[in-house]
Amino acid sequence: MEDPLSRRALITGITGQDGSYLAEHLLAEGYEVWGLVRGQANPHVSRLRKHVGEVRITTGDLLDQGSLISAVERVRPDEVYNLGAISYVPMSWQQAELTAEVTGMGVLRMLEAIRVVSGVSTSRTPGGEQIRFYQASSSEMFGMVRETPQNEKTPFHPRSPYGVAKTYGHYITQNYRESYGMFAVSGILFNHESPRRGAEFVTRKVTLGAARIKLGLAEELRLGNLDARRDWGFAGDYARAMRLMLAQDAPEDYVIGTGKTQSVRDLVEFAFRTVGLDWEEHVVLDDKYTRPAEVDLLCADPKKAREQLGWEPEVGFESLVNMMAESDMRLLSESARPEDEPFSPDHW
């Protein structure tokens, strides 16, 4: 590969948590970074730049094939990172068709845009320097797991419209790699969080809830299944893994996670401890927050990523929760409206 100082990356979903950390990482590596956003004068862009640095913007929509072709033609990227999605699992039951179109079919549209602009045909002989494609796959594809921990060969059994859509995106990426010889990879990322995580996700709901109670802005926090276990890591660590996947000599898929699990109860305990409270005095269980089809246990086997990419997570779970809770204490001390944050939950 050529020197990264001359490389150009296009990121869909750049205004979301993962897009912001990836943009930050690529800029630090000397890339020219472009973000794909819908509409004009998107307010999240100026806020993103204040936190991440100078990124260039082009318009496009994962629902519109023509706009994606135009965006790829304009940017002429060396690498495309498809992070755009409707990524909140509970919402995928409420808007299942839209989730399928954005999170699933959006992957196909972006792959087609790259194929058309690159002049790739069924000959499987891409001309010139290939555009390298990264698809953000998800541990939610495993769903009702067949084995623990989960690796690159573990069968999928998704338990939500989101998981089903991600599974389609994963397989269509694999199909384009095998059918057209494209450099297309999927990172099967397990749960990754940060202070930039949307307030609707359980990790952020917990740290914001603990901060609100500590500051006298609320009295209780209502949650669903405290026994569900996840492999939680820091989003900034996972952004490093994305770039490493596209820096390899051959395209392959990788599971990215810590290999350790914690329960929602552990999350709650650490968050409330950080702000100096006893969680059992403030947390109320509420069945309305339980998923229609729950995923009880997800745990990564990141051996392949460790051995082939040289990737290791740097931030542990307790440090991550402390980071998030302390950030939310600062945020709510300055404003009672976390929705004013720069990182959009609607990032496709």
Side-chain angles (χ1 to χ4, degrees):
M1 294 179 64
E2 60 188 273
D3 190 295
L5 289 175
S6 62
R7 298 193 71 77
R8 184 181 299 127
L10 173 62
I11 303 172
T12 73
I14 196 168
T15 62
Q17 169 192 255
D18 292 6
S20 70
Y21 278 107
L22 178 60
E24 202 168 45
H25 175 62
L26 294 179
L27 286 167
E29 292 292 323
Y31 280 66
E32 179 183 310
V33 176
W34 287 73
L36 182 84
V37 300
R38 291 180 299 145
Q40 298 178 349
N42 189 313
H44 296 294
V45 173
S46 59
R47 297 173 185 171
L48 172 75
R49 283 174 170 154
K50 290 180 182 178
H51 288 256
V52 172
E54 187 57 36
V55 295
R56 302 188 181 192
I57 297 299
T58 189
T59 57
D61 193 325
L62 290 174
L63 295 176
D64 181 9
Q65 181 71 76
S67 73
L68 298 181
I69 293 174
S70 296
V72 175
E73 285 182 329
R74 179 189 178 195
V75 176
R76 293 287 173 174
D78 299 290
E79 301 170 1
V80 172
Y81 295 84
N82 186 46
L83 312 185
I86 292 177
S87 56
Y88 184 46
V89 175
M91 181 181 169
S92 73
W93 275 287
Q94 300 165 13
Q95 295 184 281
E97 183 178 348
L98 181 61
T99 299
E101 285 289 343
V102 175
T103 306
M105 289 295 293
V107 186
L108 172 62
R109 295 186 187 103
M110 181 54 79
L111 283 164
E112 269 294 284
I114 293 171
R115 186 186 70 79
V116 169
V117 172
S118 302
V120 177
S121 69
T122 53
S123 66
R124 299 187 61 202
T125 55
E129 179 70 16
Q130 286 196 58
I131 297 175
R132 299 191 168 204
F133 176 79
Y134 171 86
Q135 166 58 16
S137 289
S138 168
S139 61
E140 289 285 334
M141 300 187 305
F142 295 121
M144 185 180 290
V145 298
R146 310 283 183 87
E147 61 184 6
T148 298
Q150 294 88 50
N151 60 38
E152 292 80 5
K153 296 182 180 179
T154 300
F156 300 139
H157 188 148
R159 299 269 282 171
S160 67
Y162 169 79
V164 172
K166 279 292 187 182
T167 302
Y168 174 83
H170 180 86
Y171 279 132
I172 200 66
T173 299
Q174 183 182 84
N175 185 260
Y176 269 59
R177 179 171 71 223
E178 295 175 355
S179 298
Y180 297 113
M182 292 172 62
F183 196 108
V185 306
S186 290
I188 307 174
L189 271 57
F190 280 64
N191 294 66
H192 45 288
E193 317 296 327
S194 76
R196 301 177 188 175
R197 177 55 107 178
E200 69 275 19
F201 289 85
V202 67
T203 47
R204 194 71 196 293
K205 180 180 178 181
V206 167
T207 58
L208 274 169
R212 283 195 178 104
I213 294 169
K214 180 65 174 181
L215 294 172
L217 301 173
E219 295 182 355
E220 66 179 26
L221 173 64
R222 305 186 77 86
L223 296 171
N225 181 11
L226 297 185
D227 296 320
R229 300 186 69 86
R230 293 290 184 273
D231 183 332
W232 273 303
F234 172 52
D237 286 339
Y238 290 45
R240 290 189 291 107
M242 297 176 195
R243 185 184 68 83
L244 288 171
M245 288 182 217
L246 293 193
Q248 303 306 299
D249 292 332
E252 295 187 40
D253 302 330
Y254 294 87
V255 162
I256 303 296
T258 70
K260 302 175 183 178
T261 66
Q262 283 80 25
S263 67
V264 176
R265 183 176 281 100
D266 295 331
L267 165 67
V268 171
E269 181 180 349
F270 287 144
F272 276 77
R273 182 191 303 169
T274 299
V275 301
L277 294 174
D278 182 349
W279 71 270
E280 293 182 301
E281 296 179 2
H282 302 283
V283 173
V284 178
L285 299 184
D286 190 332
D287 288 341
K288 81 174 184 179
Y289 294 110
T290 301
R291 294 182 183 182
E294 184 61 90
V295 176
D296 294 317
L297 175 63
L298 292 173
C299 181
D301 177 2
K303 179 180 178 182
K304 180 179 177 182
R306 182 172 60 249
E307 294 181 349
Q308 294 188 17
L309 303 180
W311 178 85
E312 293 275 4
E314 295 178 355
V315 179
F317 177 71
E318 188 169 358
S319 297
L320 171 62
V321 178
N322 290 344
M323 177 200 309
M324 293 176 66
E326 290 169 357
S327 173
D328 283 333
M329 285 290 291
R330 291 191 298 271
L331 175 68
L332 292 178
S333 296
E334 298 168 0
S335 169
R337 300 179 60 198
E339 61 268 26
D340 289 337
E341 294 175 281
F343 304 103
S344 169
D346 175 18
H347 57 266
W348 54 276

